[in-house]
Amino acid sequence: MSTSSNTPQTPRATEQSSPARQDEARPQVIPKPEGWKQPMGPDGRPQLQFAQSQRVKQPPQHLADMTLPERIQRAKELGYPGFRAKQLSVHYFQHYTSDPAQMTDLPAGTRDELVNEFLPPLLTEVRRLRTDDGATIKFLWRLFDGALVESVLMRYRNRITLCISSQCGCGMNCPFCATGQNGLTRNMSTGEIVDQIVQANRAIVAGELDAPTAAEIAEEADHAGLGEEAEFAGEVERTGPQRVSNIVFMGMGEPLANYKRVMNAVHRMVDDAPEGLGMSARGITISTVGLVPAIRKLAAEDLPITFALSLHAPDDELRDELIPVNSRWKADEAIDAAYEYYEKTGRRVSIEYALIKDMNDHGWRADLLADKLNARGRGWVHVNPIPLNPTPGSIWTSSEPDITREFIARLEAKGVPTTLRDTRGKEIDGACGQLAASED
Ligand code: SAH
């Protein structure tokens, strides 16, 4: 494996000198796409897809696309009493069912039509992969037009997190991310986004998600996840929650490039049952490459959701190559917007930082990151390094353990709270950046 193709200046012999190898003795690997090419625009900047094509077909309208008053209105238009909309909402959001046979409170002759109108199938399960211990499940879904998306369900000691997709593909073209390499097919609808949760809840209720092993629980203590405030405090540890408690928009897609549908989906998550799922907004994390105007809009929503910025480099020179959208909004602008999010909402924000060997893991970058964060204030931010999920045989390799420790120690030495994120689901290609839906 060659990790030094762009960095002839440095011998690799210093590699063994633990614990902390000095930056001067380490190469600087330059990011580059492998096996695909970043299209460039006439302005010399990467050509990214911020919107779907106008011609793209939309999935059928679903109850989850509508507010409860809109559903009632629709039921009346179809000649039904308004309360049928509420009954259907209970079935979907509280019993997690779209099966007319189970809807015994509806007149038998109306069930099929009501289900056709309000609960058309959105996500068809193509494949499901479980880790050996059964505490992590990756779902592969086919949508009405054949598009494929994935979600990953993870049971922890006292929370259940679902990592959901918001777009079919992604237009942000980050060279280290499996989803980014095939471009954007289309935005997912609100109903498609929400149905990932309802289907996951259905699997949980059916007993299909096992408890984590003791080893995994021990690991959680030091590798805390995101949005932990939403733990189901009242429930006993032995059983844990029986439905998804935490959502991370860290599956396929750039959620802020599908703003309206994503925000509608967030409303469905937090709306009281049966209008929605009645989840806590604090347990929902939206992660972005840094679409600055959309971050500002999100801050103005007045919802206590958790915000995460995928920074991955504090300096523009590297971030320009790592996160192509940095050609529009620079690292400092993205950090400013994250700080504004904190100021407006009072919610501490997360900075995501995938540690990539000899690329962004140098000690000076940890120092620079800490300085940039501290320059805006204290106590407003939390850094979440995560070892890169590697592409074998490429420059995309995760940092060595001693380098990872050193990176974290440097941030902590400057007073920045830092938690190494876990990489659940690796063995089933369900970990961050590995979601590249295919049927093979
Ligand atoms: N588009 C959004 C959300 C999707 S990805 C975003 O970029 O934030 C969720 C997180 O996984 C992001 O921080 C992303 O940078 C990270 N990620 C992508 N590929 C990865 C990989 N190979 N290893 C580790 N993290 C990765």
PDB file of all heavy atoms in Angstrom, residues 281-311:
ATOM      1  N   ALA A 281     -36.402  16.287  20.097  1.00  0.00           N
ATOM      2  CA  ALA A 281     -35.567  16.969  19.097  1.00  0.00           C
ATOM      3  C   ALA A 281     -34.094  16.902  19.489  1.00  0.00           C
ATOM      4  O   ALA A 281     -33.212  16.892  18.633  1.00  0.00           O
ATOM      5  CB  ALA A 281     -36.010  18.425  18.956  1.00  0.00           C
ATOM      6  N   ARG A 282     -33.839  16.827  20.783  1.00  0.00           N
ATOM      7  CA  ARG A 282     -32.444  16.802  21.240  1.00  0.00           C
ATOM      8  C   ARG A 282     -31.706  15.550  20.788  1.00  0.00           C
ATOM      9  O   ARG A 282     -30.478  15.535  20.733  1.00  0.00           O
ATOM     10  CB  ARG A 282     -32.392  16.882  22.771  1.00  0.00           C
ATOM     11  CG  ARG A 282     -32.814  18.228  23.255  1.00  0.00           C
ATOM     12  CD  ARG A 282     -33.032  18.290  24.754  1.00  0.00           C
ATOM     13  NE  ARG A 282     -33.701  19.543  25.042  1.00  0.00           N
ATOM     14  CZ  ARG A 282     -33.068  20.698  25.187  1.00  0.00           C
ATOM     15  NH1 ARG A 282     -31.757  20.741  25.127  1.00  0.00           N
ATOM     16  NH2 ARG A 282     -33.744  21.800  25.419  1.00  0.00           N
ATOM     17  N   GLY A 283     -32.452  14.523  20.498  1.00  0.00           N
ATOM     18  CA  GLY A 283     -31.827  13.279  20.047  1.00  0.00           C
ATOM     19  C   GLY A 283     -31.612  13.224  18.542  1.00  0.00           C
ATOM     20  O   GLY A 283     -31.163  12.212  18.022  1.00  0.00           O
ATOM     21  N   ILE A 284     -31.934  14.318  17.837  1.00  0.00           N
ATOM     22  CA  ILE A 284     -31.798  14.322  16.378  1.00  0.00           C
ATOM     23  C   ILE A 284     -30.574  15.149  15.996  1.00  0.00           C
ATOM     24  O   ILE A 284     -30.433  16.286  16.423  1.00  0.00           O
ATOM     25  CB  ILE A 284     -33.058  14.935  15.720  1.00  0.00           C
ATOM     26  CG1 ILE A 284     -34.290  14.118  16.101  1.00  0.00           C
ATOM     27  CG2 ILE A 284     -32.888  15.014  14.199  1.00  0.00           C
ATOM     28  CD1 ILE A 284     -35.607  14.739  15.655  1.00  0.00           C
ATOM     29  N   THR A 285     -29.681  14.561  15.216  1.00  0.00           N
ATOM     30  CA  THR A 285     -28.473  15.275  14.785  1.00  0.00           C
ATOM     31  C   THR A 285     -28.483  15.449  13.276  1.00  0.00           C
ATOM     32  O   THR A 285     -28.632  14.477  12.534  1.00  0.00           O
ATOM     33  CB  THR A 285     -27.208  14.489  15.197  1.00  0.00           C
ATOM     34  OG1 THR A 285     -27.200  14.358  16.625  1.00  0.00           O
ATOM     35  CG2 THR A 285     -25.943  15.213  14.756  1.00  0.00           C
ATOM     36  N   ILE A 286     -28.317  16.698  12.848  1.00  0.00           N
ATOM     37  CA  ILE A 286     -28.168  16.981  11.413  1.00  0.00           C
ATOM     38  C   ILE A 286     -26.716  17.309  11.142  1.00  0.00           C
ATOM     39  O   ILE A 286     -26.126  18.172  11.788  1.00  0.00           O
ATOM     40  CB  ILE A 286     -29.087  18.144  10.977  1.00  0.00           C
ATOM     41  CG1 ILE A 286     -30.543  17.686  11.086  1.00  0.00           C
ATOM     42  CG2 ILE A 286     -28.743  18.600   9.550  1.00  0.00           C
ATOM     43  CD1 ILE A 286     -31.542  18.575  10.382  1.00  0.00           C
ATOM     44  N   SER A 287     -26.153  16.585  10.186  1.00  0.00           N
ATOM     45  CA  SER A 287     -24.732  16.726   9.862  1.00  0.00           C
ATOM     46  C   SER A 287     -24.596  17.284   8.455  1.00  0.00           C
ATOM     47  O   SER A 287     -25.299  16.864   7.538  1.00  0.00           O
ATOM     48  CB  SER A 287     -24.093  15.339   9.956  1.00  0.00           C
ATOM     49  OG  SER A 287     -22.770  15.359   9.502  1.00  0.00           O
ATOM     50  N   THR A 288     -23.682  18.230   8.275  1.00  0.00           N
ATOM     51  CA  THR A 288     -23.540  18.862   6.956  1.00  0.00           C
ATOM     52  C   THR A 288     -22.079  19.078   6.581  1.00  0.00           C
ATOM     53  O   THR A 288     -21.228  19.253   7.464  1.00  0.00           O
ATOM     54  CB  THR A 288     -24.272  20.221   6.914  1.00  0.00           C
ATOM     55  OG1 THR A 288     -24.069  20.832   5.619  1.00  0.00           O
ATOM     56  CG2 THR A 288     -23.762  21.173   7.977  1.00  0.00           C
ATOM     57  N   VAL A 289     -21.842  19.125   5.273  1.00  0.00           N
ATOM     58  CA  VAL A 289     -20.515  19.494   4.772  1.00  0.00           C
ATOM     59  C   VAL A 289     -20.221  20.979   5.008  1.00  0.00           C
ATOM     60  O   VAL A 289     -19.082  21.408   4.880  1.00  0.00           O
ATOM     61  CB  VAL A 289     -20.364  19.222   3.260  1.00  0.00           C
ATOM     62  CG1 VAL A 289     -20.266  17.737   2.980  1.00  0.00           C
ATOM     63  CG2 VAL A 289     -21.495  19.854   2.460  1.00  0.00           C
ATOM     64  N   GLY A 290     -21.277  21.759   5.289  1.00  0.00           N
ATOM     65  CA  GLY A 290     -21.054  23.184   5.560  1.00  0.00           C
ATOM     66  C   GLY A 290     -21.716  24.110   4.566  1.00  0.00           C
ATOM     67  O   GLY A 290     -21.080  25.031   4.043  1.00  0.00           O
ATOM     68  N   LEU A 291     -23.009  23.882   4.289  1.00  0.00           N
ATOM     69  CA  LEU A 291     -23.771  24.789   3.408  1.00  0.00           C
ATOM     70  C   LEU A 291     -24.196  25.983   4.265  1.00  0.00           C
ATOM     71  O   LEU A 291     -25.222  25.947   4.949  1.00  0.00           O
ATOM     72  CB  LEU A 291     -24.978  24.061   2.815  1.00  0.00           C
ATOM     73  CG  LEU A 291     -24.669  22.753   2.076  1.00  0.00           C
ATOM     74  CD1 LEU A 291     -25.922  22.190   1.413  1.00  0.00           C
ATOM     75  CD2 LEU A 291     -23.571  22.938   1.039  1.00  0.00           C
ATOM     76  N   VAL A 292     -23.401  27.028   4.229  1.00  0.00           N
ATOM     77  CA  VAL A 292     -23.525  28.102   5.216  1.00  0.00           C
ATOM     78  C   VAL A 292     -24.909  28.763   5.251  1.00  0.00           C
ATOM     79  O   VAL A 292     -25.485  28.911   6.331  1.00  0.00           O
ATOM     80  CB  VAL A 292     -22.379  29.127   5.040  1.00  0.00           C
ATOM     81  CG1 VAL A 292     -22.657  30.415   5.782  1.00  0.00           C
ATOM     82  CG2 VAL A 292     -21.069  28.504   5.533  1.00  0.00           C
ATOM     83  N   PRO A 293     -25.491  29.157   4.101  1.00  0.00           N
ATOM     84  CA  PRO A 293     -26.811  29.787   4.199  1.00  0.00           C
ATOM     85  C   PRO A 293     -27.848  28.859   4.845  1.00  0.00           C
ATOM     86  O   PRO A 293     -28.704  29.322   5.607  1.00  0.00           O
ATOM     87  CB  PRO A 293     -27.180  30.080   2.736  1.00  0.00           C
ATOM     88  CG  PRO A 293     -25.871  30.092   2.001  1.00  0.00           C
ATOM     89  CD  PRO A 293     -24.987  29.126   2.719  1.00  0.00           C
ATOM     90  N   ALA A 294     -27.758  27.567   4.541  1.00  0.00           N
ATOM     91  CA  ALA A 294     -28.721  26.619   5.115  1.00  0.00           C
ATOM     92  C   ALA A 294     -28.477  26.418   6.614  1.00  0.00           C
ATOM     93  O   ALA A 294     -29.416  26.190   7.374  1.00  0.00           O
ATOM     94  CB  ALA A 294     -28.651  25.278   4.379  1.00  0.00           C
ATOM     95  N   ILE A 295     -27.236  26.534   7.049  1.00  0.00           N
ATOM     96  CA  ILE A 295     -26.949  26.414   8.492  1.00  0.00           C
ATOM     97  C   ILE A 295     -27.633  27.579   9.221  1.00  0.00           C
ATOM     98  O   ILE A 295     -28.237  27.406  10.282  1.00  0.00           O
ATOM     99  CB  ILE A 295     -25.433  26.429   8.777  1.00  0.00           C
ATOM    100  CG1 ILE A 295     -24.739  25.249   8.098  1.00  0.00           C
ATOM    101  CG2 ILE A 295     -25.162  26.409  10.291  1.00  0.00           C
ATOM    102  CD1 ILE A 295     -23.210  25.282   8.166  1.00  0.00           C
ATOM    103  N   ARG A 296     -27.554  28.769   8.621  1.00  0.00           N
ATOM    104  CA  ARG A 296     -28.190  29.944   9.236  1.00  0.00           C
ATOM    105  C   ARG A 296     -29.695  29.750   9.327  1.00  0.00           C
ATOM    106  O   ARG A 296     -30.322  30.092  10.322  1.00  0.00           O
ATOM    107  CB  ARG A 296     -27.897  31.193   8.403  1.00  0.00           C
ATOM    108  CG  ARG A 296     -26.429  31.492   8.313  1.00  0.00           C
ATOM    109  CD  ARG A 296     -26.151  32.975   8.539  1.00  0.00           C
ATOM    110  NE  ARG A 296     -24.725  33.153   8.762  1.00  0.00           N
ATOM    111  CZ  ARG A 296     -23.841  33.369   7.765  1.00  0.00           C
ATOM    112  NH1 ARG A 296     -24.258  33.464   6.522  1.00  0.00           N
ATOM    113  NH2 ARG A 296     -22.561  33.497   8.040  1.00  0.00           N
ATOM    114  N   LYS A 297     -30.272  29.203   8.254  1.00  0.00           N
ATOM    115  CA  LYS A 297     -31.710  28.947   8.242  1.00  0.00           C
ATOM    116  C   LYS A 297     -32.088  27.951   9.336  1.00  0.00           C
ATOM    117  O   LYS A 297     -33.075  28.129  10.048  1.00  0.00           O
ATOM    118  CB  LYS A 297     -32.066  28.355   6.869  1.00  0.00           C
ATOM    119  CG  LYS A 297     -33.392  28.778   6.314  1.00  0.00           C
ATOM    120  CD  LYS A 297     -33.395  28.582   4.804  1.00  0.00           C
ATOM    121  CE  LYS A 297     -34.576  27.764   4.342  1.00  0.00           C
ATOM    122  NZ  LYS A 297     -34.482  27.386   2.923  1.00  0.00           N
ATOM    123  N   LEU A 298     -31.264  26.940   9.477  1.00  0.00           N
ATOM    124  CA  LEU A 298     -31.514  25.910  10.485  1.00  0.00           C
ATOM    125  C   LEU A 298     -31.478  26.511  11.887  1.00  0.00           C
ATOM    126  O   LEU A 298     -32.302  26.178  12.740  1.00  0.00           O
ATOM    127  CB  LEU A 298     -30.449  24.807  10.353  1.00  0.00           C
ATOM    128  CG  LEU A 298     -30.616  23.570  11.224  1.00  0.00           C
ATOM    129  CD1 LEU A 298     -31.840  22.763  10.791  1.00  0.00           C
ATOM    130  CD2 LEU A 298     -29.369  22.685  11.157  1.00  0.00           C
ATOM    131  N   ALA A 299     -30.533  27.417  12.097  1.00  0.00           N
ATOM    132  CA  ALA A 299     -30.409  28.052  13.414  1.00  0.00           C
ATOM    133  C   ALA A 299     -31.659  28.851  13.749  1.00  0.00           C
ATOM    134  O   ALA A 299     -32.015  29.010  14.918  1.00  0.00           O
ATOM    135  CB  ALA A 299     -29.180  28.954  13.440  1.00  0.00           C
ATOM    136  N   ALA A 300     -32.341  29.350  12.709  1.00  0.00           N
ATOM    137  CA  ALA A 300     -33.525  30.174  12.942  1.00  0.00           C
ATOM    138  C   ALA A 300     -34.794  29.335  13.133  1.00  0.00           C
ATOM    139  O   ALA A 300     -35.861  29.885  13.387  1.00  0.00           O
ATOM    140  CB  ALA A 300     -33.712  31.129  11.769  1.00  0.00           C
ATOM    141  N   GLU A 301     -34.693  28.016  13.048  1.00  0.00           N
ATOM    142  CA  GLU A 301     -35.885  27.159  13.110  1.00  0.00           C
ATOM    143  C   GLU A 301     -36.467  27.044  14.508  1.00  0.00           C
ATOM    144  O   GLU A 301     -37.586  26.579  14.681  1.00  0.00           O
ATOM    145  CB  GLU A 301     -35.574  25.740  12.601  1.00  0.00           C
ATOM    146  CG  GLU A 301     -35.217  25.668  11.131  1.00  0.00           C
ATOM    147  CD  GLU A 301     -36.441  25.641  10.226  1.00  0.00           C
ATOM    148  OE1 GLU A 301     -37.573  25.574  10.740  1.00  0.00           O
ATOM    149  OE2 GLU A 301     -36.245  25.686   8.999  1.00  0.00           O
ATOM    150  N   ASP A 302     -35.663  27.357  15.507  1.00  0.00           N
ATOM    151  CA  ASP A 302     -36.148  27.269  16.877  1.00  0.00           C
ATOM    152  C   ASP A 302     -36.496  25.834  17.279  1.00  0.00           C
ATOM    153  O   ASP A 302     -37.528  25.572  17.880  1.00  0.00           O
ATOM    154  CB  ASP A 302     -37.371  28.189  17.039  1.00  0.00           C
ATOM    155  CG  ASP A 302     -37.587  28.553  18.501  1.00  0.00           C
ATOM    156  OD1 ASP A 302     -36.601  28.548  19.251  1.00  0.00           O
ATOM    157  OD2 ASP A 302     -38.746  28.819  18.893  1.00  0.00           O
ATOM    158  N   LEU A 303     -35.635  24.923  16.905  1.00  0.00           N
ATOM    159  CA  LEU A 303     -35.802  23.512  17.291  1.00  0.00           C
ATOM    160  C   LEU A 303     -34.497  23.080  17.955  1.00  0.00           C
ATOM    161  O   LEU A 303     -33.425  23.305  17.390  1.00  0.00           O
ATOM    162  CB  LEU A 303     -35.993  22.648  16.044  1.00  0.00           C
ATOM    163  CG  LEU A 303     -37.384  22.460  15.473  1.00  0.00           C
ATOM    164  CD1 LEU A 303     -37.284  21.764  14.108  1.00  0.00           C
ATOM    165  CD2 LEU A 303     -38.257  21.642  16.415  1.00  0.00           C
ATOM    166  N   PRO A 304     -34.551  22.468  19.133  1.00  0.00           N
ATOM    167  CA  PRO A 304     -33.295  22.123  19.813  1.00  0.00           C
ATOM    168  C   PRO A 304     -32.626  20.868  19.269  1.00  0.00           C
ATOM    169  O   PRO A 304     -32.286  19.949  20.017  1.00  0.00           O
ATOM    170  CB  PRO A 304     -33.728  21.944  21.268  1.00  0.00           C
ATOM    171  CG  PRO A 304     -35.137  21.506  21.186  1.00  0.00           C
ATOM    172  CD  PRO A 304     -35.730  22.121  19.939  1.00  0.00           C
ATOM    173  N   ILE A 305     -32.447  20.801  17.945  1.00  0.00           N
ATOM    174  CA  ILE A 305     -31.749  19.646  17.392  1.00  0.00           C
ATOM    175  C   ILE A 305     -30.238  19.847  17.508  1.00  0.00           C
ATOM    176  O   ILE A 305     -29.761  20.962  17.717  1.00  0.00           O
ATOM    177  CB  ILE A 305     -32.153  19.364  15.919  1.00  0.00           C
ATOM    178  CG1 ILE A 305     -32.098  20.625  15.071  1.00  0.00           C
ATOM    179  CG2 ILE A 305     -33.530  18.776  15.837  1.00  0.00           C
ATOM    180  CD1 ILE A 305     -32.620  20.412  13.668  1.00  0.00           C
ATOM    181  N   THR A 306     -29.497  18.744  17.385  1.00  0.00           N
ATOM    182  CA  THR A 306     -28.042  18.821  17.481  1.00  0.00           C
ATOM    183  C   THR A 306     -27.482  19.056  16.081  1.00  0.00           C
ATOM    184  O   THR A 306     -27.925  18.447  15.111  1.00  0.00           O
ATOM    185  CB  THR A 306     -27.496  17.501  18.077  1.00  0.00           C
ATOM    186  OG1 THR A 306     -28.083  17.315  19.366  1.00  0.00           O
ATOM    187  CG2 THR A 306     -25.981  17.558  18.220  1.00  0.00           C
ATOM    188  N   PHE A 307     -26.508  19.969  16.025  1.00  0.00           N
ATOM    189  CA  PHE A 307     -25.923  20.330  14.743  1.00  0.00           C
ATOM    190  C   PHE A 307     -24.486  19.812  14.684  1.00  0.00           C
ATOM    191  O   PHE A 307     -23.717  19.968  15.631  1.00  0.00           O
ATOM    192  CB  PHE A 307     -25.943  21.854  14.566  1.00  0.00           C
ATOM    193  CG  PHE A 307     -25.203  22.291  13.338  1.00  0.00           C
ATOM    194  CD1 PHE A 307     -25.765  22.112  12.087  1.00  0.00           C
ATOM    195  CD2 PHE A 307     -23.935  22.838  13.426  1.00  0.00           C
ATOM    196  CE1 PHE A 307     -25.079  22.469  10.942  1.00  0.00           C
ATOM    197  CE2 PHE A 307     -23.242  23.209  12.284  1.00  0.00           C
ATOM    198  CZ  PHE A 307     -23.812  23.028  11.040  1.00  0.00           C
ATOM    199  N   ALA A 308     -24.135  19.210  13.565  1.00  0.00           N
ATOM    200  CA  ALA A 308     -22.769  18.708  13.398  1.00  0.00           C
ATOM    201  C   ALA A 308     -22.193  19.211  12.073  1.00  0.00           C
ATOM    202  O   ALA A 308     -22.869  19.165  11.046  1.00  0.00           O
ATOM    203  CB  ALA A 308     -22.767  17.173  13.421  1.00  0.00           C
ATOM    204  N   LEU A 309     -20.980  19.692  12.133  1.00  0.00           N
ATOM    205  CA  LEU A 309     -20.286  20.178  10.940  1.00  0.00           C
ATOM    206  C   LEU A 309     -19.158  19.209  10.591  1.00  0.00           C
ATOM    207  O   LEU A 309     -18.287  18.928  11.422  1.00  0.00           O
ATOM    208  CB  LEU A 309     -19.712  21.579  11.215  1.00  0.00           C
ATOM    209  CG  LEU A 309     -18.786  22.148  10.136  1.00  0.00           C
ATOM    210  CD1 LEU A 309     -19.543  22.416   8.837  1.00  0.00           C
ATOM    211  CD2 LEU A 309     -18.118  23.444  10.630  1.00  0.00           C
ATOM    212  N   SER A 310     -19.174  18.714   9.356  1.00  0.00           N
ATOM    213  CA  SER A 310     -18.095  17.836   8.891  1.00  0.00           C
ATOM    214  C   SER A 310     -16.944  18.719   8.434  1.00  0.00           C
ATOM    215  O   SER A 310     -16.892  19.145   7.292  1.00  0.00           O
ATOM    216  CB  SER A 310     -18.585  16.967   7.729  1.00  0.00           C
ATOM    217  OG  SER A 310     -19.611  16.116   8.178  1.00  0.00           O
ATOM    218  N   LEU A 311     -16.025  18.980   9.332  1.00  0.00           N
ATOM    219  CA  LEU A 311     -14.943  19.920   9.011  1.00  0.00           C
ATOM    220  C   LEU A 311     -13.771  19.179   8.365  1.00  0.00           C
ATOM    221  O   LEU A 311     -13.343  19.515   7.278  1.00  0.00           O
ATOM    222  CB  LEU A 311     -14.510  20.665  10.285  1.00  0.00           C
ATOM    223  CG  LEU A 311     -13.608  21.862  10.035  1.00  0.00           C
ATOM    224  CD1 LEU A 311     -14.344  22.961   9.281  1.00  0.00           C
ATOM    225  CD2 LEU A 311     -13.058  22.417  11.351  1.00  0.00           C
TER     226      LEU A 311
END
